[in-house]
């Protein structure tokens, strides 16, 4: 149980286009979903936290108008990279929180590798 | 602010050697959670362990063991009799009681040579 999927697993796009990445919790309802970004040979950095039905909370330095997050249901969150540029090329990983806050369970998706040409 | 430091950028060992990955954390909270994740070349994070701040018992799981010491704010990870399949990047992470978001260390690249 507790499986999180991401789609697509990799995407190549041209500069200036928008890309949507989906994160789904397959067998549980995720009250909270997190989006992380990982540049090559670097650590994971939290971009934003999204709760179903409410606006996402972005970390300092993350442009909310560029990285649009929608958490429309308890099983789906989407990250849209708008007007993508080569510097947005990165590995994007989502995770889903499960259960009560204190249980601190969090399950990661397999990641989406974005390359912007 | 919360911070996780993994001072070892890269470690190379020969198969069957024991290796310890260091993790030092900073937080002002009294309740927090510590994690270790493995990231193989495929990129997918593999959960290894979670420990809360009230449980200082060391844990052993097969060839893996963890040493949690609040006095030194450390949560070190030891692999006994390392294998080539252990080659990966290992991340230590910290989370507060509320919010669940994780703060990751920089990661340690472990290379196990046959």
């Amino acid at each position: 149980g507790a499986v999180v999927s991401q789609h697509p697993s990799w995407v190549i796009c041209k500069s200036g286009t928008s890309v949507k990445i989906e994160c789904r919790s397959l067998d549980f309802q995720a009250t909270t979903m997190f989006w992380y970004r990982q540049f090559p040979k670097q650590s994971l950095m939290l971009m934003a936290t999204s709760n179903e039905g409410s606006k996402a909370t972005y970390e300092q330095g993350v442009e909310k108008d560029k990285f649009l997050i929608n958490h429309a249901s308890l099983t789906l969150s989407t990250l849209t990279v708008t007007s993508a540029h080569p510097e947005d090329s990165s590995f994007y990983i989502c995770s889903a929180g499960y259960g009560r806050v204190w249980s601190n369970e969090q399950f990661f998706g397999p990641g989406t590798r974005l390359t912007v040409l | 602010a919360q911070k996780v430091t993994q001072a070892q950028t890269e470690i190379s060992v020969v198969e069957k050697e024991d290796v310890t990955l260091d993790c030092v954390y900073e937080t002002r909270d009294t309740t927090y959670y510590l994690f270790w994740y493995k990231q193989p070349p495929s990129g997918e994070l593999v959960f290894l362990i979670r420990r809360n701040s009230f449980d200082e018992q060391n844990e052993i799981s097969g060839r893996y063991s963890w040493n949690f010491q609040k006095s030194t704010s450390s949560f070190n990870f030891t692999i006994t009799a390392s294998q080539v399949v252990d080659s990966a990047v290992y991340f230590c992470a910290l989370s507060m009681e509320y919010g669940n978001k994780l703060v990751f260390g920089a990661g340690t690249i472990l290379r196990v040579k046959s």
Side-chain angles (χ1 to χ4, degrees), chain A:
Chain A
V3 177
V4 176
S5 70
Q6 279 185 245
H7 178 80
S9 55
W10 60 269
V11 56
I12 301 173
C13 70
K14 292 183 178 180
S15 187
T17 61
S18 294
V19 175
K20 180 185 284 188
I21 302 171
E22 292 185 349
C23 176
R24 293 182 184 273
S25 56
L26 299 184
D27 50 1
F28 67 100
Q29 292 185 326
T31 52
T32 306
M33 287 185 171
F34 304 88
W35 288 95
Y36 295 85
R37 179 170 53 184
Q38 184 180 28
F39 291 110
K41 300 187 186 298
Q42 294 189 27
S43 187
L44 285 80
M45 298 297 292
L46 179 68
M47 298 175 67
T49 303
S50 75
N51 293 294
E52 184 264 341
S54 62
K55 290 184 178 180
T57 301
Y58 290 81
E59 295 299 301
Q60 194 172 9
V62 178
E63 301 174 58
K64 61 180 180 181
D65 293 331
K66 180 170 184 60
F67 299 99
L68 302 178
I69 292 174
N70 185 289
H71 194 158
S73 75
L74 285 172
T75 60
L76 173 65
S77 176
T78 60
L79 167 67
T80 300
V81 183
T82 62
S83 187
H85 291 284
E87 56 266 30
D88 298 323
S89 298
S90 186
F91 192 51
Y92 292 87
I93 306 174
C94 74
S95 70
Y98 167 71
R100 287 174 286 181
V101 170
W102 61 261
S103 75
N104 219 273
E105 291 288 351
Q106 191 172 146
F107 304 95
F108 284 85
T112 296
R113 198 166 298 281
L114 170 63
T115 301
V116 185
L117 302 177

Side-chain angles (χ1 to χ4, degrees), chain B residues 77-96:
Chain B
F77 172 34
T78 297
I79 301 175
T80 303
S82 60
Q83 300 176 2
V84 173
V85 293
D86 295 328
S87 297
V89 182
Y90 290 85
F91 289 100
C92 180
L94 170 69
S95 177
M96 297 305 104

